[in-house]
Amino acid sequence: MPYYLRPRLKFEAQLVDVVNRFVKQKFSHAGDLVTTVTVIAKQLYEEFRLGIREIPILTDEGCNAAFGVSLEKFNRFRSAWAGISELCLHLADAFAHRARSSSGRRQRELFFESMEWTAPLLRRNFLEGLVLALTGLSGGEIDHLMQFYSFSPAEKRARQVGDGFFPPIAQLADSLHFNPDALRSMLSSRNVLYVLNRAHTQVFDEQVSGHLEPALIEIAKRPLSRLPDVFLAQEIDWGGGDIDLLVYSERENSALHIQAKAAIAPQGARMVAATEGRVKEALRQLSALRKLPPAQIDAIVEKAIGRPVRGVNLVDVVLCRASFGTAKIWERLGSVAVVNPSIVAAVVERLLATSSSNPVTAFAATVQEVADDIQRRAATGWEEATIELGRTTLTMPLLRLDSNVLWVERQKSYERLMGK
């Protein structure tokens, strides 16, 4: 998931001034409200454009095929909507703050205005014109990208709805309706892939899907290449299957045999089930190579890295974009290490920090150490939650997580994989 660096404190102070100016203009009917809104949105757009952080899920070519524009243009588009969402939330807070210090009819008007900005209904021409002015994209590019994040309630069955994703912008005649909190949190590039896979299956299958696993492998290679004295080889066809990525240490005579699967983070039960299927496939491929005679394994590794090896030790690894499935999968792993790019980067950092003399051999054990450490710091216990549905009460266990720990880990993950 993407995250955004928060605006600087100095910028926040300036923003409060201009938001207060808007509130005064709204009730005094003085000044140009559109101009004031545009000024605020422009400031926020620039902050979000510079502060957006998301680990790429596609190659450059894949981005153009999926988004219909370059990744840089897509980032401009979603930064504009993130800025507009932040603007609406600031205005809602400003009106609510003034309402709390007012009374009577004035207080009701202010609270009503606050609610209006909490779930705004604004003219489509105004909003899309604002996005166009902020981003410099063409009208056609904006229309193309809007199809992924908007839907019409008039449609009996919107094709882009499902599998855990519901477009956050509703098209109502000549207006757009949205919740700023929901919109801001749903601008991940993976949501475009969800929509493509449902609404434009042929485009996804023929032009996009082939770029997912290569992008996953490339992002994992960044930290893995930092390990001392290793050789990296990928897409190795050994006759009975493929090795997606091989990381060989000549000093240790050990190699990571990595199978890359499930290159889109799962959302919803069906995608989790599909991820489990892909992980099972990876486990079969890892097992198939390991069952070969040692001399044949040596020959495969030797051909891949271009130098002689003998008695190579394999460390089995499954690489996914995010998660790996339910307890059913964890019970089948045995000695296989399961990682995502963030875990890979954290493991490499720990191995380098401890000056491990056998980082490839110690890789699987270090994966467990890193995962246990994050869980120990982030998980604060369990709580019980209930939902009332008519006469039925649903009770479920919820894991409490420390959001501050997770925020820091997300920042570190981005910096380890993408640089500061």
Side-chain angles (χ1 to χ4, degrees), residues 246-414:
L246 188 76
V247 182
Y248 176 73
S249 168
E250 188 171 29
R251 185 180 63 200
E252 301 175 58
N253 195 32
S254 293
L256 302 179
H257 171 195
I258 300 175
Q259 287 292 327
K261 306 295 178 188
I264 304 177
Q267 179 76 20
R270 283 192 295 182
M271 289 193 70
V272 170
T275 295
E276 285 191 344
R278 296 288 282 151
V279 173
K280 289 176 183 177
E281 179 186 340
L283 294 177
R284 289 192 294 269
Q285 291 175 321
L286 291 169
S287 177
L289 182 65
R290 187 170 283 282
K291 288 178 180 178
L292 296 177
Q296 192 172 348
I297 294 175
D298 290 344
I300 293 168
V301 174
E302 185 174 306
K303 182 178 180 181
I305 66 172
R307 58 186 59 217
V309 300
R310 183 176 181 181
V312 64
N313 171 53
L314 290 180
V315 178
D316 293 336
V317 181
V318 177
L319 169 68
C320 295
R321 172 62 62 177
S323 58
F324 316 99
T326 66
K328 297 176 185 177
I329 287 296
W330 291 91
E331 292 166 356
R332 299 179 56 165
L333 292 178
S335 62
V336 177
V338 287
V339 297
N340 55 37
S342 297
I343 293 292
V344 171
V347 167
V348 170
E349 184 175 272
R350 179 168 296 200
L351 289 168
L352 295 177
T354 57
S355 301
S356 175
S357 59
N358 57 342
V360 171
T361 306
F363 188 86
T366 310
V367 168
Q368 191 62 53
E369 291 175 10
V370 167
D372 288 346
D373 178 56
I374 294 174
Q375 181 175 331
R376 176 183 56 80
R377 291 183 291 109
T380 60
W382 292 87
E383 63 185 15
E384 194 174 81
T386 59
I387 300 175
E388 302 289 341
L389 296 174
R391 297 180 180 179
T392 302
T393 300
L394 300 180
T395 303
M396 67 192 77
L398 294 179
L399 180 62
R400 293 197 308 269
L401 297 172
D402 187 325
S403 59
N404 291 327
V405 172
L406 296 179
W407 173 260
V408 171
E409 285 300 320
R410 292 175 76 183
Q411 287 183 299
K412 286 182 178 179
S413 173
Y414 184 87

Side-chain angles (χ1 to χ4, degrees), residues 72-307:
E72 189 274 333
K73 285 187 174 182
F74 174 69
N75 281 338
R76 278 191 261 162
F77 172 84
R78 63 177 168 179
S79 295
W81 280 109
I84 291 169
S85 297
E86 189 81 1
L87 161 66
C88 294
L89 293 172
H90 274 284
L91 290 174
D93 286 344
F95 281 113
H97 177 74
R98 284 178 169 251
R100 286 190 290 269
S101 59
S102 303
S103 61
R105 180 180 176 182
R106 176 71 165 177
Q107 184 180 62
R108 290 193 297 273
E109 289 177 344
L110 287 165
F111 271 130
F112 181 79
E113 192 69 28
S114 175
M115 288 187 285
E116 286 286 320
W117 288 104
T118 301
L121 176 67
L122 299 171
R123 290 282 185 180
R124 181 172 185 167
N125 286 344
F126 166 69
L127 284 171
E128 294 188 353
L130 181 58
V131 173
L132 189 149
L134 293 174
T135 63
L137 300 179
S138 70
E141 289 170 331
I142 291 172
D143 288 342
H144 179 77
L145 290 169
M146 282 295 293
Q147 70 174 308
F148 301 120
Y149 293 103
S150 63
F151 76 103
S152 171
E155 295 181 45
K156 289 186 177 180
R157 185 177 178 85
R159 290 190 299 167
Q160 66 269 54
V161 175
D163 285 334
F165 176 65
F166 195 94
I169 303 173
Q171 302 174 13
L172 303 173
D174 58 353
S175 300
L176 298 178
H177 186 46
F178 60 95
N179 175 274
D181 264 328
L183 175 56
R184 188 176 54 176
S185 65
M186 297 180 76
L187 292 169
S188 168
S189 55
R190 73 174 188 176
N191 287 335
V192 174
L193 301 184
Y194 293 158
V195 174
L196 272 177
N197 196 24
R198 286 187 63 84
H200 307 282
T201 305
Q202 186 174 356
V203 173
F204 180 85
D205 291 343
E206 295 179 359
Q207 301 180 35
V208 178
S209 62
H211 297 280
L212 290 168
E213 284 185 7
L216 178 59
I217 292 169
E218 285 302 315
I219 203 69
K221 284 169 60 178
R222 294 186 182 191
L224 289 169
S225 63
R226 296 176 58 206
L227 293 172
D229 306 318
V230 295
F231 300 89
L232 276 67
Q234 65 189 84
E235 297 180 7
I236 304 157
D237 182 355
W238 55 269
D242 295 319
I243 300 174
D244 291 326
L245 180 62
L246 188 76
V247 182
Y248 176 73
S249 168
E250 188 171 29
R251 185 180 63 200
E252 301 175 58
N253 195 32
S254 293
L256 302 179
H257 171 195
I258 300 175
Q259 287 292 327
K261 306 295 178 188
I264 304 177
Q267 179 76 20
R270 283 192 295 182
M271 289 193 70
V272 170
T275 295
E276 285 191 344
R278 296 288 282 151
V279 173
K280 289 176 183 177
E281 179 186 340
L283 294 177
R284 289 192 294 269
Q285 291 175 321
L286 291 169
S287 177
L289 182 65
R290 187 170 283 282
K291 288 178 180 178
L292 296 177
Q296 192 172 348
I297 294 175
D298 290 344
I300 293 168
V301 174
E302 185 174 306
K303 182 178 180 181
I305 66 172
R307 58 186 59 217

